[in-house]
Amino acid sequence: MSLNWDPELNDRLLSLHLLAREILWGISVGMQRSMQVTKSIEFVEHREYQPGDPISAIDWKVYARTDRVMIRRQQADTEGTIVLVLDASADMDTTDSGQPDFKSSKLGRAITALAALTLYAQKRAEPVGLLIIGGTGAEHQWIPPSRRAVGLIFNALASVEGSQKANLEQGLSSLLPKLRKPSIIFIASDWMEEPSERGIALENLASMRHDIRGLHLYAKSEWAFEIPESVRLYGREDVREIPLQRDQVRQRFLEEVAKYKLEIVEWSSRAKAVWSYAALEEELIFPLVKLLKGTE
């Protein structure tokens, strides 16, 4: 295997490994059951309901027959094949340097999260692969799932730069012929594309019995429309200032955000996907634990 060992890439690889291992430690503390136990692939057995189990996992038919509250346990065939999907579009990278900041940009946080999931899969000896949608710089856009793919995945994650549009619908649809058996698909994105278009792709993947888990990167300040009262707007082709009634614009913006969130819920529900929001201002550990447990 030939990798690019330039000093800048080596520094980024080292930083990514350190951050991913730190998050992996936090995940290991938070996890209490196998990632191979999932919600939508193959039925394994029933067990008694325990406090903290998701209500959606209760088998109500068994309850109606026996008056016992039982949970359906399910798992992926014989092993938990994992596929990581990275949205590396230009709007995911908000830094001036063009390189993702692992700690603060959406792209950097997405890369860090997927690196931690890669180490988690390695720790469990589970095959793991990577699809990069958009972006430039990575030697491989698609790395098929394998237990030996960890090095290639880290090299790709450390090399990628945000650019282009993601086109999530096309990228996610490209997975259909690539995956021959049900897999657990982790998708890290800001999901800033038309929900109905990417939603159809998610539904198609779910129809092939893939387990979909979406990590939604966002900034609290962005969604709250936090702008100073004294802000001035103007057009590039017209130097005259554009009047802005901030409170009215903010109210309309918040209404659109609320509508957008409802669309996310609708489409993720259709795809039976687990959805986890990850604010840039907060730690990644808790959203990742939620995804790994497969609980809403």
Side-chain angles (χ1 to χ4, degrees):
M1 179 174 63
S2 176
L3 298 178
N4 181 8
W5 294 111
D6 66 86
E8 184 176 350
L9 177 58
N10 283 339
D11 289 342
R12 290 174 55 75
L13 276 168
L14 177 59
S15 297
L16 186 57
H17 267 284
L18 292 175
L19 286 170
R21 290 185 182 280
E22 180 181 350
I23 293 175
L24 177 63
W25 180 87
I27 289 174
S28 300
V29 172
M31 289 297 294
Q32 297 180 350
R33 64 189 184 200
S34 169
M35 185 166 58
Q36 284 186 281
V37 177
T38 69
K39 65 179 181 61
S40 63
I41 299 184
E42 291 291 336
F43 173 75
V44 178
E45 63 182 6
H46 285 101
R47 67 166 173 81
E48 293 284 349
Y49 175 85
Q50 298 176 3
D53 287 332
I55 301 298
S56 60
I58 295 177
D59 193 324
W60 296 106
K61 292 182 179 179
V62 172
Y63 176 77
R65 294 196 307 266
T66 66
D67 208 31
R68 296 174 63 192
V69 182
M70 305 294 290
I71 294 293
R72 289 176 60 88
R73 296 183 69 249
Q74 299 171 303
Q75 70 177 15
D77 294 338
T78 58
E79 61 183 18
T81 299
I82 297 168
V83 176
L84 309 174
V85 179
L86 173 67
D87 174 358
S89 57
D91 62 1
M92 285 280 286
D93 190 356
T94 58
T95 59
D96 295 331
S97 65
Q99 295 287 341
D101 179 343
F102 291 143
K103 294 185 178 181
S104 61
S105 74
K106 293 176 186 176
L107 180 58
R109 295 294 290 272
I111 288 172
T112 304
L114 297 188
L117 292 175
T118 301
L119 292 182
Y120 192 87
Q122 181 186 46
K123 181 179 179 181
R124 302 189 63 81
E126 293 171 335
V128 58
L130 172 68
L131 173 68
I132 298 177
I133 304 177
T136 57
E139 183 177 353
H140 303 283
Q141 295 288 115
W142 166 243
I143 300 174
S146 168
R147 293 187 180 89
R148 300 180 179 180
V150 173
L152 284 175
I153 290 174
F154 263 86
N155 190 73
L157 291 175
S159 303
V160 70
E161 300 176 10
S163 67
Q164 310 173 39
K165 291 187 64 175
N167 195 340
L168 292 173
E169 187 275 332
Q170 180 179 347
L172 294 174
S173 296
S174 74
L175 284 175
L176 288 170
K178 291 182 171 70
L179 303 178
R180 297 182 179 180
K181 63 179 181 179
S183 303
I184 306 173
I185 304 175
F186 294 90
I187 309 166
S189 173
D190 62 356
W191 300 93
M192 293 303 292
E193 293 185 8
E194 182 59 39
S196 60
E197 294 179 1
R198 62 168 186 261
I200 293 173
L202 293 176
E203 275 192 293
N204 290 337
L205 287 169
S207 71
M208 299 302 292
R209 297 167 58 219
H210 297 298
D211 184 346
I212 312 298
R213 309 194 183 189
L215 183 67
H216 195 139
L217 284 303
Y218 76 102
K220 287 184 176 181
S221 58
E222 190 176 58
W223 279 13
F225 198 72
E226 295 178 358
I227 61 174
E229 188 173 354
S230 60
V231 68
R232 296 180 180 180
L233 302 181
Y234 59 90
R236 293 193 176 189
E237 296 182 2
D238 189 341
V239 297
R240 292 177 301 174
E241 294 182 1
I242 301 173
L244 171 66
Q245 295 180 335
R246 188 190 64 169
D247 292 341
Q248 291 184 9
V249 173
R250 183 175 185 272
Q251 181 60 36
R252 179 63 184 274
F253 179 82
L254 294 179
E255 291 173 359
E256 290 299 317
V257 169
K259 180 181 177 181
Y260 170 70
K261 289 181 178 179
L262 287 176
E263 289 181 299
I264 291 290
V265 171
E266 178 184 353
W267 284 105
S268 62
S269 177
R270 290 184 185 182
K272 300 177 182 178
V274 175
W275 214 261
S276 185
Y277 291 98
L280 299 185
E281 298 86 349
E282 298 177 352
E283 296 292 334
L284 275 170
I285 293 172
F286 298 109
L288 290 180
V289 167
K290 175 182 177 181
L291 289 186
L292 287 168
K293 285 189 173 184
T295 55
E296 292 292 357

